[in-house]
Amino acid sequence: LESAGCDGYLISLANIEPELCKGMFANPSQELNKRIMEKWDELGLASENWFVGIKKGLAHRGIIKSSELI
């Protein structure tokens, strides 16, 4: 519902929470927006090194083998 100045914030989160993001596109709501922003904060996606949170999330789910930055 609002990106708080960050274009593409759902794109980065969609790597880890595709169903949550898909739900927001299908039926936008304040509740989904709140859940998305909570995940956004939890993963540190607002930081300069947002990709670290993405890698940790993907490694935690077994999608990639390591969250190591190389």
Side-chain angles (χ1 to χ4, degrees), residues 3-6 8 11 14 16-17 19-20 33-34 36 38-40 44 47 50 53 62 68 70:
S3 65
C6 181
I11 301 300
I16 298 173
E17 296 290 343
E19 291 301 316
L20 181 61
N33 190 69
K34 182 177 184 261
I36 285 168
E38 286 170 354
K39 282 289 182 185
W40 176 260
S47 76
W50 59 270
E68 184 178 345
I70 52 173

Side-chain angles (χ1 to χ4, degrees), residues 32-69:
L32 279 175
N33 190 69
K34 182 177 184 261
R35 288 177 48 208
I36 285 168
M37 296 313 293
E38 286 170 354
K39 282 289 182 185
W40 176 260
D41 291 337
E42 175 187 321
L43 294 166
L45 298 181
S47 76
E48 184 177 308
N49 297 323
W50 59 270
F51 53 87
V52 173
I54 296 290
K55 287 193 81 168
K56 286 180 182 176
L58 293 172
H60 177 74
R61 288 163 177 78
I63 296 169
I64 61 175
K65 292 181 182 180
S66 169
S67 63
E68 184 178 345
L69 300 177

